[in-house]
Amino acid sequence: MSSLDGFEAFVVAHERRLRQALTAVFGVDRGREAAADAFVYAWEHWDRVGAMANPAGYLFVVGRDRHRRRFRHRLAKTVFEIAPDHPEPWCEPALAAQLAGLSDRERIAVMLVNGFEWSLAEVAELLGVSKSTAQTHAERGMAKLRAGMGVTA
């Protein structure tokens, strides 16, 4: 298998999930940009990245950090937009602001576990933490969302 084949297989296997993870950090548009940046980096350094034990987790950090560095003077708080042109929103309109108020790790854990149906083990691997730490982030994030939206479990 050539280096190009290995890279293409990696992109097919990991693009969607890396984009989801970076969307949890930056919102939809900026998350896609950050994912694209991460894959550009992966291509440029494929010999090293392809040999890593957790290349997707590494590229998550690369995409996050490169995007923050490049846009640090323009990055405000993470924004999740609810499409205003729909007569009935696809989710609770207050949810976007509440998600933006969570810490990065809480938001990532909540969105990946509850929104994208990742397992806690998958979130833990991506963040480089234990499964119990990922669970703590998800539980704290959900508790903050419920409290902020006045929802009782």
Side-chain angles (χ1 to χ4, degrees):
M1 180 184 292
S2 75
S3 179
L4 178 60
D5 292 338
F7 176 75
E8 287 178 351
F10 176 80
V11 171
V12 168
H14 297 281
E15 186 277 332
R16 185 179 126 264
R17 294 175 74 75
L18 184 61
R19 182 175 27 85
Q20 289 173 342
L22 289 165
T23 294
V25 177
F26 297 115
V28 175
D29 293 335
R30 292 183 353 211
R32 285 183 177 162
E33 288 177 29
D37 287 346
F39 281 109
V40 166
Y41 180 90
W43 172 247
E44 292 169 348
H45 302 91
W46 183 242
D47 289 341
R48 189 168 53 89
V49 172
M52 292 180 173
N54 182 9
Y58 179 77
L59 290 177
F60 169 76
V61 173
V62 167
R64 182 194 66 199
D65 292 352
R66 290 182 100 190
H67 194 75
R68 282 184 176 156
R69 263 194 315 275
R70 185 173 348 138
F71 296 105
R72 73 176 155 257
H73 60 283
R74 290 189 280 164
L75 284 180
K77 191 73 174 157
T78 299
V79 176
F80 295 94
E81 298 176 3
I82 305 297
D85 55 343
H86 293 281
E88 294 184 29
W90 59 272
C91 71
E92 168 59 45
L95 181 60
Q98 293 299 317
L99 281 170
L102 298 178
S103 73
D104 281 353
R105 287 188 171 205
E106 290 168 345
R107 185 176 51 256
I108 290 164
V110 165
M111 288 182 68
L112 295 181
V113 169
N114 298 293
F116 295 118
E117 299 179 342
W118 286 36
S119 71
L120 288 170
E122 291 168 326
V123 173
E125 182 179 6
L126 176 83
L127 296 176
V129 299
S130 70
K131 184 177 169 184
S132 64
T133 299
Q135 182 174 0
T136 298
H137 290 310
E139 289 172 354
R140 284 184 186 161
M142 287 301 296
K144 288 179 182 179
L145 286 177
R146 287 184 187 105
M149 296 179 68
V151 175
T152 56

